[in-house]
Amino acid sequence: MQHSILCLDDEAHILDALERIFRKKYKVFKTTSPKEALDILRENTVSLIISDQRMPDMTGVEFFEKSISIQPDTIRILLTGYTDIESVVAAINSGQIYRYVTKPWDTREIEITVAQGIEKFELTATLKEKH
């Protein structure tokens, strides 16, 4: 099974960079619109989401909160250019994030983080099947 990841950021060049990193291994959905991202989640099974924190229409935390009701088991990674600890704490508490990555990221580090997130998604799915 090829996993799908959703990348959400208000900067198109960030999305293009993420797509270049992950397109060989995963199906990549990308958008600059949180509303479109929610539509993608309604229409597709997504294993992992990478979302920017600071966007004009909705924060990453707000987006993650909404995404939980659509796909509760999806792994969530917060991408932020700011070391705003309050945002990170809010994301962990209400957005149920798995990890956060700061911009600019280290490519190898983000590849490992996503691979570990996908493993967690698979493990959760396996446990649910067994129960």
Side-chain angles (χ1 to χ4, degrees), residues 68-128:
I68 291 166
S69 65
I70 300 168
Q71 292 195 38
D73 296 331
T74 298
I75 303 301
R76 293 162 182 82
I77 296 174
L78 185 70
L79 187 62
T80 181
Y82 302 90
T83 52
D84 179 3
I85 195 68
E86 289 177 22
S87 295
V88 174
V89 170
I92 291 167
N93 291 336
S94 60
Q96 298 181 10
I97 69 161
Y98 171 67
R99 297 237 174 101
Y100 79 95
V101 175
T102 56
K103 295 179 194 175
W105 61 77
D106 174 272
T107 300
R108 187 70 187 126
E109 180 185 336
I110 199 168
E111 287 174 330
I112 291 168
T113 298
V114 167
Q116 290 171 341
I118 294 294
E119 285 178 24
K120 183 177 192 281
F121 179 85
E122 289 174 342
L123 180 61
T124 300
T126 300
L127 290 172
K128 279 191 166 193

Side-chain angles (χ1 to χ4, degrees), residues 44-55:
N44 302 276
T45 300
V46 174
S47 304
L48 184 138
I49 303 167
I50 300 172
S51 176
D52 187 22
Q53 169 58 14
R54 296 201 181 202
M55 297 178 286

Side-chain angles (χ1 to χ4, degrees), residues 3-4 42 58 101 126 129:
H3 290 277
S4 294
R42 287 184 192 98
M58 184 185 302
V101 175
T126 300
E129 282 179 22

